[in-house]
């Protein structure tokens, strides 16, 4: 099993998928002129109050049922953030397969830090 090749493919596929989702979301917003009750001018303003703090899973799913561009953008960002976590989890599985205890411990620490920083730290900082 070539970890570098698999990691490279995961990174490429994740980034391409993320870019595609974000681009599709922007195109939908430009076509419709709004997304999830926000006008185009509000969404694309430099001082827009629309940011990721308004998005949760229910919000994104509801946006998909309405084919909202904003939901596609949020999903693209979630995919982009998930790529390093998936890469680290893959490395952990590889090191477990190789029975490399030192790298297993180090990778668990890195994976914990990633998950903690992405999922829990924002709610603590609020």
């Amino acid at each position: 099993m070539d970890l570098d090749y698999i990691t490279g493919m995961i990174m490429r596929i994740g980034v391409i998928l993320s870019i595609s989702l974000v681009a599709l979301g922007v195109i939908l917003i430009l076509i419709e002129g709004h997304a999830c009750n926000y006008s185009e001018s509000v969404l694309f303003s430099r001082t827009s109050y629309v940011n990721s703090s308004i998005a949760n899973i229910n919000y994104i799913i509801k946006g998909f049922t309405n084919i909202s561009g904003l939901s596609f953008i949020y999903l693209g960002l979630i995919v982009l953030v998930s790529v390093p976590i998936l890469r680290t989890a893959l490395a952990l599985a590889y090191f477990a397969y190789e029975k490399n205890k030192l790298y297993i411990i180090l990778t668990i620490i890195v994976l914990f830090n990633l998950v903690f920083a992405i999922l829990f730290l924002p709610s603590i900082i609020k």
Side-chain angles (χ1 to χ4, degrees), residues 35-36 38 43 48-60 70 74 126:
C36 293
Y38 298 108
L43 291 171
S48 177
Y49 56 86
V50 180
N51 57 41
S52 61
S53 67
I54 65 168
N56 57 37
I57 295 299
N58 293 330
Y59 183 85
I60 294 170
L70 195 56
Y74 283 139
K126 282 183 182 178

Side-chain angles (χ1 to χ4, degrees), residues 8-28:
M9 289 302 293
I10 287 173
M11 301 288 274
R12 278 186 218 102
I13 291 168
V15 169
I16 290 169
L17 180 61
S18 174
I19 290 170
S20 301
L21 288 167
V22 171
L24 178 62
V26 170
I27 290 168
L28 286 171

Side-chain angles (χ1 to χ4, degrees), residues 45-121:
S45 169
R46 285 184 38 208
T47 58
S48 177
Y49 56 86
V50 180
N51 57 41
S52 61
S53 67
I54 65 168
N56 57 37
I57 295 299
N58 293 330
Y59 183 85
I60 294 170
I61 291 171
K62 181 182 172 193
F64 278 122
T65 59
N66 299 333
I67 308 177
S68 170
L70 195 56
S71 292
F72 281 93
I73 292 172
Y74 283 139
L75 183 62
L77 294 176
I78 290 170
V79 168
L80 188 63
V81 170
S82 299
V83 168
I85 295 172
L86 181 60
R87 188 257 180 259
T88 307
L90 177 68
L92 179 61
Y94 178 77
F95 295 139
Y97 173 77
E98 294 287 321
K99 296 180 176 67
N100 190 333
K101 293 179 184 175
L102 175 63
Y103 282 108
I104 290 171
I105 292 169
L106 291 173
T107 307
I108 288 172
I109 292 169
V110 170
L111 189 59
F112 172 79
N113 286 336
L114 279 169
V115 171
F116 181 77
I118 293 169
L119 298 179
F120 301 113
L121 198 58

